[in-house]
Each structure stands twice: as structure tokens, then as C-alpha cells.
Amino acid sequence: MYPEFSLLAAALLVCGEATPHPKPNAPVSRDFKRSDPYADWPSYSQLPLDPSYPTKAAWGVRGANDTLGALNHITNITIQVAAREVKLGWAFNLNLDVNQFVTPINTNRKPLTHLYQPGDGYTDDVIMLNTQISTQFDGLRHFPYSTNASVDTYQWYNNLIPSYDDVIGPAPTTVLGIQEAAQFGIAGRGVLLDWAGWAATQNITFDAFQGREITVAELDATAAWQGLPAGNWSLPGDILLIRTGWIAQYHALTELERETLPWSGIDSVGMLASDDSLEWLWDKKLAFVGADNPAFESLPFNKTINGVAMSLHQVFIGGWGQSIVEFLNLEMLASALHQQGRSTFFLTLQNLNVVSGIASPPNAMAII
Ligand SMILES: *[C@@H]1O[C@H](CO)[C@@H](O)[C@H](O)[C@H]1NC(C)=O
Ligand SMILES: *[C@@H]1O[C@H](CO)[C@@H](O)[C@H](O)[C@H]1NC(C)=O
Ligand SMILES: *[C@@H]1O[C@H](CO)[C@@H](O)[C@H](O)[C@H]1NC(C)=O
Ligand SMILES: *[C@@H]1O[C@H](CO)[C@@H](O)[C@H](O)[C@H]1NC(C)=O
Ligand SMILES: *[C@@H]1O[C@H](CO)[C@@H](O)[C@H](O)[C@H]1NC(C)=O
Ligand SMILES: *[C@@H]1O[C@H](CO)[C@@H](O)[C@H](O)[C@H]1NC(C)=O
């Protein structure tokens, strides 16, 4: 989520000012082995490995040429352990209707175009989809670091994309494309933190369409309320999902209210973009994170982390190669987990296999 980027970039390209400026891959890097991924694993305070890298970037942590990023936390063993979460066989779709937001929250992002194309003895349909309009998996081409929101300063994961033309030009390269995350076969143990559920028990009232910031202390309190062991409820390779109450508030609107909602920018409840949040998440070695809100973190993106990064998006995607899943529908899952006194589940996610793609509907499913 950062509409200004694409508009500005498009304008610069039209003016012909965005020239390729090749950069080296991350030259300072570790020797990374998937068989022993956490040997000599850097602590949060040791990031970045080289002072010239952007704020808290994990460039080089998995070698200079790694393109999988945080998905490297998923191994055959983590999937085997995650599969033990299937106890009842109850499966939940976590995806909203791809055309859920008939009035777009971000007006740059048009609703789905869906056409029927009848044939002789069969029927087809054709969709044109902005991958950011509904439940979405943000791939590693979606969100670079940049100091001034200008393509001149874009820096993607591991510094692997030299130029913005390589992403949106007439002959884009494939590096860091969504096909990498589509081929990988994403499955793991999900942990749901129902912050909105906890907030209700604390009589905390909030408007999900304003920038209510969720802190690490509140998430720890949520975990404790759910009965999870203090400071020890996640495993490397887990996927953390946060229920912020955004979708619940949206679904409570009438049809008319949805159509006429005066989106005040795209403000939203979400995790606070801060150094504390980043350290808390880095230590958990998560494969990716997700939430039922527009951006996982609170909006607007008006914070500053360590002076340079302006959002969790920049550090997650550009820095750690860690994707974000947004607008998840966690309502049924949350209610089933509460009923069962559980917080964990088996999660699978299958992105569209679009070469050089930027994001995808996640086709996410939870099984408990
Ligand atoms: C990364 O790839 C480049 C280009 O293929 C190669 O020269 C370099 O040695 C690789 N670096 C590592 C750490 O594997
Ligand atoms: C799982 O095991 C297979 C077969 O040994 C191997 O090819 C694959 O790389 C492993 N996957 C992960 C994620 O470790
Ligand atoms: C952004 O910063 C870069 C590097 O300092 C500079 O070259 C460029 O002109 C700036 N662009 C805008 C639009 O401010
Ligand atoms: C929340 O409000 C209810 C009803 O007023 C009250 O009984 C309860 O003690 C409050 N809980 C907290 C945590 O403040
Ligand atoms: C954390 O929990 C795991 C099991 O989930 C257990 O094996 C480990 O000993 C616990 N660690 C601490 C420090 O309590
Ligand atoms: C960010 O925006 C929110 C909501 O508009 C506002 O309350 C907050 O003060 C702003 N913070 C900064 C650091 O500008």
C-alpha cells in the first residue's frame, strides 16, 4: 500500500527520467546453508550486516543472491510439525471476495473487471485484477526502501533489482517475481493473535478506520489472554496472523455505508511501525505475517524507524524479503479457535504463478 510511489514512478517513466542504474548485489553476506539456517544467525541489533545497507535490512543474511527471503524459514520439518495442527479437519477459506470493495479504498486501484466470454458449447470468463484490491500476498517486488518515494532511491531485497524498469518496464526481469513464492509451496503453522478479541475484554474502544496503533505489549497481552506461554509461543517458520477488527467493522456496515464511506485517506488500525515491533518480529523468525486490515501495520505510513525507514512494509519486504498478507478474513477461524481453546492451525497458501508478478490473491486456507 503506497499509491504515491507508483504514480510518481509512472510519471517519471513517461518523462523518460528513470534511467537504469545498475547496483551490485549485497556484497557483504553470510554463508547460508538451508540445512543449518540458524548457525551464526544475526540478532536484530546486528542488522544490517553492512552499515551501507538500509535500516535493519537483512541483506546478505541468506547469502547475497537469495530470492526467497523469509520463506527460507519454512522447511520440510516445519511443515511436518505444522501438519500436526490438523486435529478436527475443519477447513476455513481466509480470502475475501476478490471484488469485496466495490468502492475502492484506494482510488488508484479499480474494482475487478469480470467479463463472460461465451464459446461454442462452453463458457469462459476473463478477469482483470489489480492484485491489491482484496485479500493479497505482497511479493518482494511490491515495496522497496526509498528515502523520498522516488524511483531514484528504490532498493529491493538483497539489492537484486537494479532498476525500476526491471519491474515495470517493457521487458521486466523475473528476479524476485511472485513466481518464486508460487513455486515454493507455502505451508506452515499459523498462529492467530486476536487483538480485537482481547481489546473487547479490556473495554478498549477503537475505530478500525483510524490509525489505532497496536503495540508489542498489547500483542503479548493478547497472547497471554489466549493462554499462550509467555515469550515462547512461536516456532521458526510460523506465520503470525493478527486480527485487528478491521474486517469485522467493515462487514458490520450496511451496503449504503460501504458505498458512501468517506475513507479518510486509508487510515487503519494495525501494528505500530517501530523499532520494538521489528525486533519482536525478527526474533520470531516468521515465514510471513498477515492481518485482516489493509496493510498489517497501522496507516497512514507517517512513522520513522531509525531515521530512514518509513514503514514496516519497507523493512519487511525490501529488507527481510518477508511478505505480508492483507485483508484476510479471519472471522470464522478466530471464532472456531476460541471455541476450541486454540491459537494455532495448519495454513496453506498458493499464489498465482505469474512470472515477474508483484502480488497475488493468496488462496489461503486454514485447517484446525
Ligand atoms: C551471486 O551471484 C553473482 C552473479 O551470478 C556471483 O558473481 C556471486 O558470486 C554470487 N554470490 C554469492 C555469495 O553466491
Ligand atoms: C524437502 O525435502 C526434499 C527432498 O529431500 C528437498 O528436495 C526439499 O528441498 C526440501 N524442502 C525444504 C523446504 O527443505
Ligand atoms: C530523491 O533523492 C535522490 C537521491 O538523493 C535524488 O537524486 C532525486 O532527485 C530525489 N527525487 C525527488 C523526486 O526528490
Ligand atoms: C469492562 O466493563 C465492564 C462493564 O462495565 C466491567 O464489568 C469490567 O470490569 C470492565 N473490564 C475491564 C478490564 O475494565
Ligand atoms: C518453549 O516451548 C517449547 C515447546 O513448544 C519447549 O520445547 C521449550 O523448552 C520452551 N522454551 C522455554 C524457554 O520455555
Ligand atoms: C500520523 O497520523 C496519525 C493519524 O492521522 C496522527 O494521529 C499521528 O500524530 C501522525 N504521526 C506522526 C508521527 O506524524
Side-chain angles (χ1 to χ4, degrees):
M1 304 288 294
Y2 216 11
E4 298 88 314
F5 274 30
S6 48
L7 271 187
L8 181 58
L12 285 170
L13 277 178
V14 168
C15 301
E17 286 174 31
T19 47
H21 39 103
K23 294 176 226 170
N25 297 353
V28 173
S29 60
R30 288 165 72 244
D31 190 16
F32 177 71
K33 286 193 205 66
R34 289 207 59 171
S35 54
D36 188 14
Y38 304 122
D40 191 28
W41 186 254
S43 68
Y44 181 73
S45 66
Q46 289 172 311
L47 296 179
L49 297 188
D50 186 285
S52 72
Y53 299 166
T55 304
K56 292 298 174 186
W59 292 1
V61 168
R62 302 174 191 95
N65 297 330
D66 172 62
T67 56
L68 272 185
L71 291 180
N72 279 296
H73 290 303
I74 295 178
T75 66
N76 288 335
I77 302 297
T78 65
I79 294 174
Q80 287 169 28
V81 170
R84 293 182 203 148
E85 296 294 330
V86 178
K87 298 182 203 302
L88 299 171
W90 299 359
F92 299 91
N93 163 38
L94 304 183
N95 311 276
L96 294 173
D97 172 357
V98 287
N99 214 22
Q100 171 82 84
F101 303 109
V102 176
T103 304
I105 291 167
N106 173 338
T107 52
N108 286 331
R109 294 170 174 159
K110 305 296 180 218
L112 181 80
T113 303
H114 185 193
L115 303 172
Y116 292 107
Q117 188 172 303
D120 300 330
Y122 58 89
T123 50
D124 289 356
D125 61 354
V126 177
I127 61 171
M128 181 140 71
L129 173 74
N130 179 320
T131 52
Q132 298 284 321
I133 60 170
S134 182
T135 313
Q136 77 209 235
F137 180 97
D138 283 350
L140 303 189
R141 310 186 125 207
H142 177 54
F143 218 93
Y145 285 96
S146 69
T147 50
N148 60 8
S150 154
V151 292
D152 304 314
T153 61
Y154 279 14
Q155 292 178 292
W156 282 269
Y157 177 60
N158 261 349
N159 224 12
L160 287 173
I161 300 179
S163 146
Y164 192 44
D165 283 347
D166 292 332
V167 177
I168 61 134
T173 64
T174 61
V175 68
L176 302 181
I178 198 80
Q179 80 283 351
E180 306 251 12
Q183 303 291 2
F184 185 69
I186 296 174
R189 196 181 79 141
V191 184
L192 180 74
L193 289 186
D194 183 3
W195 175 84
W198 168 81
T201 68
Q202 302 303 302
N203 298 338
I204 293 172
T205 55
F206 65 97
D207 179 351
F209 305 148
Q210 296 296 325
R212 173 65 164 79
E213 293 156 355
I214 297 173
T215 62
V216 160
E218 288 180 333
L219 292 175
D220 281 335
T222 303
W225 171 68
Q226 291 177 202
L228 291 167
N232 186 32
W233 46 262
S234 68
L235 298 169
D238 277 357
I239 295 125
L240 171 65
L241 304 184
I242 299 177
R243 181 171 172 272
T244 68
W246 195 98
I247 285 292
Q249 184 170 325
Y250 182 81
H251 280 165
L253 300 175
T254 64
E255 207 58 43
L256 182 65
E257 284 169 333
R258 290 182 193 187
E259 281 166 23
T260 56
L261 198 62
W263 296 112
S264 51
I266 42 175
D267 290 8
S268 132
V269 62
M271 193 167 189
L272 171 65
S274 73
D275 211 31
D276 284 350
S277 296
L278 286 172
E279 179 162 23
W280 190 85
L281 291 164
W282 175 258
D283 286 346
K284 297 192 182 339
K285 305 183 174 68
L286 303 168
F288 58 92
V289 296
D292 60 340
N293 68 352
F296 183 80
E297 62 194 293
S298 69
L299 292 173
F301 290 147
N302 64 352
K303 317 325 178 272
T304 306
I305 307 169
N306 285 339
V308 184
M310 293 174 287
S311 60
L312 296 181
H313 265 60
Q314 291 188 329
V315 182
F316 287 177
I317 300 177
W320 301 353
Q322 180 195 278
S323 287
I324 311 170
V325 192
E326 295 152 350
F327 290 127
L328 283 162
N329 186 354
L330 302 173
E331 299 309 290
M332 301 272 286
L333 173 65
S335 128
L337 288 172
H338 283 305
Q339 189 206 331
Q340 295 295 318
R342 288 175 54 181
S343 301
T344 51
F345 48 94
F346 186 56
L347 179 75
T348 65
L349 186 153
Q350 182 56 57
N351 289 304
L352 295 180
N353 193 356
V354 178
V355 175
S356 306
I358 293 172
S360 171
N363 301 305
M365 177 165 67
I367 311 179
I368 71 171

